[in-house]
Amino acid sequence: PAFLSIGAWFDMETDPNRLKLEMVDEQINTTSKAFLGLSVACARCHDHKFDPIPTSDYYRLGGIFNSTRLVGDFSEYWRDGRVRQLRPLAMPAQVAANEVIRQQIAQKQNEWWTYLSARHVELMARWRGDESRYRAAAEQVKRPYVKLFEAEDFSGQTGLRIAQLMRDGKGVEVIETLLPRAQWVKYTINEVPETAKFRLEALYSAADRTPLTLTANATVATKDALAEPTGGADLKYQRWRTVGDFEMREGMNFLRLEAKEGNFPRVDRFRLYKLDRAVEQQIQTLAAAEHLQPALLANFVYDPADPWPQVAGVEPYLDEPQRATATAMTAEAEKLAEGIKPYDLAISVTDQAQPADMPVHSRGSTYAMRDEPNLRGVPRLLDGALPPPSIPQGHSGRLELAQWLVDPRNPLTARVMVNRIWHWHFGRGIVATTSDFGSRGEPPSHPELLDWLAAEFMSPSTPSSGSAWSIKRLQRLIVTSRTYRMSSRVDGATSKFDPENHLLSHFPRQRLDADELFDAMFSIRNIMPRQPAGQPLDVEKSKGRALYVLTSNRSPEGLGLEVRKMFSLFDYDSSGAPIAERPVSQTAAQSLFWMNSPLVRYYADKFAERLLKMDRLDDAKRVEQAYLIALGRPPTKAAAEGTLDYLAQCEADGMSAQLAWTKVCQALFGASEFRYVD
């Protein structure tokens, strides 16, 4: 199910209706190309120009995908609209037990909120009557430097967005999470009057605990700012809290708030003021003399335009018994939360609550739709080979689509899959256009071979050969064939009658892809673990592989930029769009990469360490081992002698053994045999 959810994400699209259409289009495009070898997405705006796919068929498929839920709730303000749908990897009984506890927690939180709301009403009734006294007392205090500013007035950010919300009939702008991973926001504070200690406070709301790191002028002030949830993310749960205290210098200063992951709290605005012991003492003295609440009087001093505490922030203003009651309610909810048994989550999809057909959108427009009904279903171009499935009411149609795709009567799915696997082994598919089996695609070079492989792929299994539709069984069939095991060397006669190798007269020489080149260097360090039979892959033991470097920024320390340079240089496509095959370029910059890249030197150094730890071997045996590990063959006599002569010269020049062997290993990395499959 994750196949539908891991595609491109449209983070900048703010229209929810258009976003849904873009997501559906991406799914149709990827699914049709991947399994049918057809570009059905071409029919979004008009009937397909070359293949028999009318626009109505596009929206028949669109109805299936539009009835499939990929993301969290499409909330009014898009807070959760880009979070991928997850499913628990747990037994239903455990999920149900956790849900019961969550309902109990929600009940306790409702009790806590009801109690705070009642106390807030009582306090506000009393405070409003004393407002003039508070303002008069505040006028007597020498007001320190105070700067009030909106959260959206930042000078830089990543992973956040400005959301426009409503509170009491008025529009309110806040900053909040755009993507629930690394997020930061920076503020430039100009014209600070003097070097002194300051306090930053924020008006925020948060449904969960996400600690923020506050940095002032590149100095960390706290790593646990605004971590305490307020009861929810809605504006009604807003409250003021101290972000941190820190030193600021006269003139220009920079503040930065960063969340490593999770949801950044919704922040409305900030107030920054100088910490002045004399002012604090004067507030306490006046509050005692006038029988006023000290914390509320401080609000009138620092922010006279908006001094009143919010419901979620009223606890510090309660008397001791009331505060104890509110704290006990919170403690009960936290105690209940300890009973929740965690389980892993996996990206998945599910049906929408109300699956529905998708009308044809005229010219692909978001809001211009035709009136005639268009039942969700599959493309009709294969109706002569197999009947279209019937989708029951209340079902998205994903199951019926999947069954239709793998029906033995479907002439495309097995052939497309077999052709892709052939392509990745030989560098060219039996059909060269691996994602286009339509009228504009290349005809198969060996149609009978394609048909036979597809039939073998779908055939019922035997106990010794594996299951039907088994990719592993098909791989074994291909790599044990004579065709695959031929040499890539070409004699003169062969090059004349089959110069393009369309007849598979020899094995096609292929360069490794960027991630394969990276993994080849990484694995040569001898840290790739042996995988026990039947055991799941331990990601932590192989987390340095390209797969995890690309998805989790796991790269050698200080070399992340070099990794990305390498991938760009060797034709890696980082767009996330589905591509039929990776391009293969040959440039001078690639040769220079093996000579000069810090990344190559890093792994060559690790390779050299491995060789030097073989302390029972002499240099001649180490050279042999180096060739066997890097190139899969022993060195020729001339290569071995030349390498030993080079090592001797390095020693005579005073070079360390580690550095000399690093240079040898780097030269092996630069050999064409290391980069190519022959």
Side-chain angles (χ1 to χ4, degrees):
F3 173 80
L4 294 177
S5 185
I6 60 175
W9 229 231
F10 304 92
D11 295 321
M12 297 299 109
E13 182 57 65
T14 58
D15 181 341
N17 296 310
R18 182 171 178 80
L19 175 63
K20 290 178 182 179
L21 285 183
E22 294 298 334
M23 292 167 63
V24 166
D25 183 74
E26 196 277 334
Q27 292 171 80
I28 291 175
N29 185 42
T30 303
T31 302
S32 63
K33 285 184 176 180
F35 297 109
L36 299 174
L38 297 172
S39 54
V40 176
C42 294
R44 177 177 180 176
C45 304
H46 49 73
D47 292 347
H48 202 294
K49 290 185 176 181
F50 306 109
D51 297 327
I53 304 171
T55 303
S56 58
D57 277 10
Y58 173 93
Y59 289 98
R60 282 164 59 83
L61 269 177
I64 294 176
F65 294 123
N66 196 41
S67 298
T68 301
R69 180 173 170 180
L70 282 77
V71 299
D73 295 333
F74 281 96
S75 65
E76 181 181 359
Y77 305 114
W78 292 95
R79 180 174 177 79
D80 304 314
R82 316 290 165 87
V83 179
R84 299 178 195 267
Q85 179 77 20
L86 302 174
R87 61 171 293 182
L89 295 177
M91 298 301 291
Q94 181 183 346
V95 176
N98 283 355
E99 186 58 32
V100 169
I101 296 174
R102 290 191 177 95
Q103 291 174 0
Q104 294 171 345
I105 292 172
Q107 183 179 349
K108 291 296 180 184
Q109 289 177 331
N110 288 335
E111 293 174 4
W112 167 79
W113 184 253
T114 301
Y115 182 79
L116 285 190
S117 299
R119 303 293 78 75
H120 185 263
V121 170
E122 294 170 358
L123 288 173
M124 287 300 297
R126 187 172 60 209
W127 288 338
R128 287 288 187 183
D130 292 334
E131 180 176 358
S132 59
R133 295 176 57 227
Y134 275 99
R135 293 196 180 278
E139 288 294 329
Q140 301 179 46
V141 180
K142 180 183 177 183
R143 191 168 184 256
Y145 170 84
V146 179
K147 180 178 179 62
L148 304 171
F149 58 99
E150 299 295 329
E152 64 271 17
D153 294 339
F154 47 72
S155 54
Q157 63 84 24
T158 289
L160 301 174
R161 60 170 167 256
I162 299 174
Q164 294 183 335
L165 314 182
M166 296 296 293
R167 181 179 58 204
D168 301 329
K170 297 180 180 179
V172 176
E173 289 189 337
V174 299
I175 59 169
E176 63 176 19
T177 293
L178 173 64
L179 299 172
R181 46 181 185 259
Q183 307 143 70
W184 60 264
V185 62
K186 183 176 71 173
Y187 297 94
T188 302
I189 310 298
N190 295 309
E191 300 177 357
V192 174
E194 59 180 310
T195 299
K197 196 166 187 178
F198 287 78
R199 172 170 293 167
L200 181 68
E201 295 178 343
L203 180 62
Y204 78 105
S205 60
D208 46 28
R209 177 180 173 82
T210 303
L212 305 182
T213 298
L214 170 65
T215 305
N217 298 324
T219 300
V220 175
T222 177
K223 294 183 178 181
D224 202 31
L226 304 186
E228 188 179 351
T230 63
D234 290 346
L235 292 189
K236 74 173 186 177
Y237 295 111
Q238 282 187 333
R239 70 181 179 198
W240 283 99
R241 275 291 185 273
T242 297
V243 182
D245 299 341
F246 45 85
E247 194 84 16
M248 293 183 72
R249 57 181 177 245
E250 182 180 355
M252 181 179 293
N253 293 261
F254 301 96
L255 304 180
R256 177 184 168 109
L257 284 166
E258 180 178 11
K260 297 296 185 183
E261 58 184 10
N263 284 326
F264 202 92
R266 276 181 167 164
V267 186
D268 185 354
R269 57 184 186 271
F270 293 98
R271 60 189 179 205
L272 175 73
Y273 57 88
K274 176 189 171 185
L275 289 175
D276 190 320
R277 184 61 185 164
V279 171
E280 294 174 7
Q281 186 60 51
Q282 190 178 6
I283 290 173
Q284 293 291 332
T285 301
L286 277 170
E290 299 291 338
H291 303 289
L292 302 175
Q293 161 65 256
L296 184 59
L297 179 57
N299 289 350
F300 276 92
V301 172
Y302 296 123
D303 191 3
D306 187 17
W308 309 112
Q310 297 73 26
V311 175
V314 80
E315 283 190 56
Y317 301 87
L318 302 178
D319 59 32
E320 191 59 38
Q322 292 173 333
R323 195 156 51 244
T325 300
T327 302
M329 292 178 178
T330 304
E332 288 178 21
E334 293 174 351
K335 183 68 175 177
L336 285 169
E338 294 175 2
I340 295 178
K341 295 181 180 179
Y343 44 72
D344 291 331
L345 297 172
I347 294 177
S348 185
V349 299
T350 187
D351 283 358
Q352 298 283 14
Q354 295 180 331
D357 300 325
M358 188 178 230
V360 174
H361 290 243
S362 299
R363 298 183 179 275
S365 170
T366 304
Y367 297 103
M369 292 169 280
R370 298 178 189 171
D371 294 332
E372 61 266 23
N374 191 55
L375 300 178
R376 58 188 180 280
V378 300
R380 288 168 289 190
L381 79 165
L382 300 181
D383 283 2
L386 70 160
S390 176
I391 299 175
Q393 192 73 20
H395 288 217
S396 67
R398 282 184 296 119
L399 175 61
E400 291 74 20
L401 172 61
Q403 292 171 336
W404 178 83
L405 285 172
V406 297
D407 191 301
R409 293 170 292 178
N410 189 320
L412 288 175
T413 307
R415 287 170 174 80
V416 170
M417 189 63 188
V418 163
N419 189 65
R420 289 193 188 283
I421 295 172
W422 187 276
H423 163 82
W424 289 116
H425 280 300
F426 290 93
R428 176 189 174 95
I430 299 172
V431 175
T433 51
T434 54
S435 287
D436 191 355
F437 275 48
S439 60
R440 305 290 288 181
E442 292 284 335
S445 58
H446 299 72
E448 294 86 356
L449 174 61
L450 183 64
D451 291 346
W452 181 80
L453 286 172
E456 284 291 307
F457 186 43
M458 294 187 293
S459 66
S461 62
T462 63
S464 61
S465 64
S467 61
W469 295 87
S470 169
I471 295 176
K472 183 177 181 180
R473 182 164 66 102
L474 181 65
Q475 303 262 29
R476 185 185 294 114
L477 178 64
I478 292 174
V479 300
T480 56
S481 68
R482 180 178 176 274
T483 306
Y484 182 82
R485 291 182 291 171
M486 287 192 299
S487 170
S488 61
R489 294 183 175 87
V490 184
D491 57 31
T494 300
S495 63
K496 287 182 179 179
F497 79 80
D498 189 20
E500 300 296 328
N501 201 27
H502 289 307
L503 301 178
L504 300 173
S505 57
H506 59 277
F507 184 82
R509 193 168 188 254
Q510 303 169 65
R511 197 197 73 196
L512 297 177
D513 288 330
D515 38 357
E516 294 168 337
L517 285 171
F518 181 89
D519 285 350
M521 290 192 294
F522 171 74
S523 62
I524 221 165
R525 298 169 55 188
N526 197 31
I527 63 170
M528 293 290 283
R530 289 185 176 274
Q531 184 63 32
Q535 295 296 315
L537 178 65
D538 187 346
V539 173
E540 290 301 315
K541 291 183 179 179
S542 59
K543 64 183 181 182
R545 292 168 55 205
L547 170 67
Y548 304 109
V549 168
L550 291 174
T551 57
S552 306
N553 294 320
R554 291 171 168 173
S555 55
E557 186 175 357
L559 294 174
L561 179 60
E562 298 300 326
V563 173
R564 277 146 186 80
K565 285 181 180 178
M566 173 188 176
F567 276 68
S568 174
L569 189 62
F570 287 95
D571 311 303
Y572 179 79
D573 184 352
S574 60
S575 69
I579 56 174
E581 59 186 78
R582 293 189 189 177
V584 178
S585 64
Q586 295 183 2
T587 66
Q590 293 171 354
S591 299
L592 293 173
F593 166 81
W594 297 106
M595 296 172 61
N596 302 319
S597 171
L599 183 66
V600 176
R601 289 198 297 272
Y602 171 83
Y603 281 117
D605 190 55
K606 296 298 182 182
F607 188 12
E609 284 182 16
R610 176 184 178 184
L611 293 171
L612 290 171
K613 285 179 181 177
M614 301 175 183
D615 50 9
R616 296 185 180 182
L617 303 182
D618 57 18
D619 281 352
K621 285 294 185 181
R622 282 200 187 94
V623 170
E624 183 179 348
Q625 282 296 312
Y627 271 78
L628 286 170
I629 293 170
L631 307 181
R633 64 165 179 83
T636 63
K637 182 179 180 181
E641 291 175 351
T643 304
L644 290 171
D645 289 344
Y646 175 77
L647 289 168
Q649 184 62 50
C650 289
E651 183 179 2
D653 293 342
M655 189 181 298
S656 68
Q658 175 69 37
L659 180 56
W661 277 99
T662 296
K663 290 181 176 294
V664 169
C665 293
Q666 187 172 353
L668 288 173
F669 284 160
S672 64
E673 282 184 73
F674 185 77
R675 305 192 301 276
Y676 283 84
V677 178
D678 291 316

